[in-house]
């Protein structure tokens, strides 16, 4: 296992995975163009599993999938598994989120509590899921975007322990505190063991 296909066509996500995988000696590649996997799961974990299985079977390679998203308490957990499909662009997604929080009367930081969740699933070339982990980063939704980095909802997701939004954090800090970074921290020891076994 030297090539790991990332079950995503999102360039930002593939880059982030590449950075997180670099010290394992793995080459991260995006899934084949034109391959679409229908995300019919009702949880992040179910969707990660579906994507990992489908991409592994389609490529005959080990595949790593994540399904991640934002859950806002005042919105009953929305946008949740629909985070990427909440609107057509990052800007429109953020505008819709802020408008819905305003409509819900969520004006204080405590009323705007939220969490990012990342579920990761690793599938063997046969399409069998062999590892699953989840990472969670709690935070609050700001009333206006801050910061130039990141993607998606990063400019409005404020992490109190860092006193920054995801979009203001350096890559190293986001990798450590972010939901995907936390999921990777749980995955890495298991992935390292799987690699060692695969290379024997």
């Amino acid at each position: 296992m030297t090539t790991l296909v990332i079950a995503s066509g999102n360039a930002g996500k593939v880059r982030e995975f590449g950075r997180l995988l670099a010290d394992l000696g793995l080459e991260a590649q995006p899934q084949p163009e034109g391959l679409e996997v229908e995300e019919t799961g009702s949880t992040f974990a179910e969707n990660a599993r579906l994507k990992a299985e489908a991409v592994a079977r389609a490529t005959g390679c080990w595949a790593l999938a994540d399904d991640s998203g934002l859950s806002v308490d005042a919105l009953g957990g929305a946008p949740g598994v629909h985070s990427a499909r909440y609107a057509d662009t990052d800007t429109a997604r953020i505008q819709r989120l802020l408008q819905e929080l305003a409509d819900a009367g969520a004006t204080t930081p405590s009323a705007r509590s939220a969490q990012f969740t990342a579920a990761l699933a690793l599938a063997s070339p046969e399409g069998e899921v062999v590892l699953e982990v989840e990472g969670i980063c709690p935070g609050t939704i700001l009333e206006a975007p801050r910061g130039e980095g990141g993607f998606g909802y990063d400019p409005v997701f404020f992490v109190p322990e860092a006193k920054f939004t995801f979009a203001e954090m350096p890559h190293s800090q986001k990798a450590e505190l972010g939901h995907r970074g936390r999921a990777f921290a749980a995955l890495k020891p298991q992935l390292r063991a799987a690699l060692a076994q695969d290379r024997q």
Side-chain angles (χ1 to χ4, degrees):
M1 193 198 329
T2 51
T3 299
L4 190 57
V5 179
I6 307 304
S8 175
N10 178 320
K13 195 179 277 192
V14 174
R15 268 197 308 275
E16 197 170 334
F17 271 117
R19 279 194 293 269
L20 290 163
L21 290 163
D23 64 333
L24 289 177
L26 288 169
E27 184 195 344
Q29 292 184 350
Q31 70 183 36
E33 275 188 46
L35 176 62
E36 294 292 329
V37 182
E38 208 176 334
E39 296 177 29
T40 54
S42 59
T43 65
F44 296 117
E46 282 176 21
N47 281 332
R49 208 174 297 137
L50 285 169
K51 289 189 277 191
E53 290 168 350
V55 171
R57 281 196 294 267
T59 60
C61 295
W62 286 86
L64 181 65
D66 100 317
D67 195 52
S68 52
L70 179 66
S71 303
V72 181
D73 296 337
L75 303 180
V81 292
H82 304 292
S83 293
R85 302 184 290 279
Y86 212 43
D88 291 336
T89 65
D90 284 351
T91 303
R93 284 187 274 274
I94 287 172
Q95 283 174 342
R96 179 178 174 188
L97 178 68
L98 297 182
Q99 186 58 54
E100 291 194 357
L101 277 167
D103 292 348
T107 53
T108 63
S110 62
R112 298 170 78 90
S113 60
Q115 67 178 32
F116 259 118
T117 302
L120 297 176
L122 177 73
S124 70
E126 294 73 42
E128 183 188 338
V129 171
V130 294
L131 289 177
E132 289 184 277
V133 294
E134 202 165 78
I136 290 170
C137 180
T140 57
I141 304 300
L142 297 181
E143 292 188 20
R146 270 177 31 187
E148 301 298 318
F151 57 94
Y153 301 94
D154 288 1
V156 290
F157 187 77
F158 180 78
V159 182
E161 69 180 286
K163 298 184 171 56
F164 287 125
T165 66
F166 270 174
E168 295 173 306
M169 288 182 193
H171 287 309
S172 56
Q173 190 174 27
K174 187 183 175 190
E176 182 188 343
L177 296 178
H179 50 304
R180 202 166 286 124
R182 291 179 191 205
F184 256 96
L187 180 81
K188 261 187 173 174
Q190 300 179 61
L191 184 54
R192 197 172 267 122
L195 277 170
Q197 206 170 2
D198 191 56
R199 285 169 180 163
Q200 278 175 5

